């Protein structure tokens, strides 16, 4: 298992976006529910609701729209929420590919075992990236192809 990095963006305004918040937004988008998105992201409903409330209040416009029980309970991402997720994932992929050769070099210097799967990597793959991890090359594959 390759070394893995996490991208967290901290803006001058105090807003931030990282893997946990992005995973929550993706879960809400995919499952149509804050509670289901929270479970998928490994958060309690209370934590997720606090994150959604903070993001809705701190970004220029809401990122999640919650529907009341009258309208059929659920939640969905606003256009801004979808844009944040899309840009964040693109930045994450770009950063990983830009740093991939350095991750390989660090693993070589440290004598890391490419087959070992550290607990944080298991958690990251399950909680944050789901099936998207399968589309990323591992550092072992990068070594094999000399890139």
């Amino acid at each position: 298992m390759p070394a893995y990095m996490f991208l967290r963006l901290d803006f001058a305004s105090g807003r931030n976006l990282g893997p946990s918040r992005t995973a929550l937004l993706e879960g809400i988008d995919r499952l149509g529910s804050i509670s289901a998105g929270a479970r998928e992201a490994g958060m309690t409903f209370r934590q997720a609701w606090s994150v959604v409330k903070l993001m809705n209040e701190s970004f220029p416009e809401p990122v999640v729209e919650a529907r009341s029980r009258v309208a059929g309970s659920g939640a969905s991402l606003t256009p801004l929420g979808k844009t944040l997720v899309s840009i964040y994932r693109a930045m994450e992929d770009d950063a990983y590919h830009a740093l991939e050769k350095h991750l390989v070099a660090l693993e070589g210097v440290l004598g890391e075992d490419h087959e070992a799967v550290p607990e944080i990597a298991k958690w990251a793959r399950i909680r944050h990236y789901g099936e998207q991890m399968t589309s990323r090359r591992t550092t072992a594959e990068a070594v094999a192809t000399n890139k």
Side-chain angles (χ1 to χ4, degrees):
M1 179 68 197
Y4 198 75
M5 59 178 223
F6 293 94
L7 179 66
R8 178 186 159 115
L9 307 170
D10 291 306
F11 300 95
S13 64
R15 299 176 190 125
N16 62 60
L17 188 62
S20 295
R21 289 182 179 193
T22 304
L24 175 62
L25 294 176
E26 287 173 325
I28 291 169
D29 190 41
R30 188 171 38 263
L31 302 169
S33 160
I34 294 173
S35 61
R39 279 191 299 277
E40 186 175 88
M43 295 181 189
T44 66
F45 176 77
R46 185 176 178 171
Q47 290 170 322
W49 183 253
S50 293
V51 167
V52 166
K53 185 176 185 291
L54 178 67
M55 291 180 76
N56 278 347
E57 292 172 354
S58 66
F59 283 88
E61 57 191 66
V63 296
V64 174
E65 178 179 69
R67 294 182 299 278
S68 68
R69 293 180 193 265
V70 174
S73 62
S76 59
L77 296 188
T78 64
L80 176 60
K82 289 179 184 264
T83 298
L84 289 175
V85 168
S86 176
I87 292 172
Y88 176 87
R89 289 300 184 206
M91 290 176 69
E92 183 182 56
D93 286 342
D94 288 351
Y96 181 79
H97 292 297
L99 297 174
E100 186 175 40
K101 68 180 178 182
H102 301 294
L103 290 173
V104 171
L106 280 173
E107 286 179 329
V109 167
L110 298 173
E112 290 289 319
D113 179 3
H114 292 295
E115 300 305 315
V117 180
E119 287 304 309
I120 187 66
K122 288 180 192 174
W123 179 81
R125 288 174 58 202
I126 293 166
R127 296 288 186 203
H128 294 305
Y129 304 104
E131 296 303 312
Q132 291 183 11
M133 284 297 290
T134 61
S135 68
R136 296 201 175 106
R137 291 186 329 145
T138 65
T139 52
E141 290 169 330
V143 169
T145 58
N146 294 319
K147 288 190 175 186

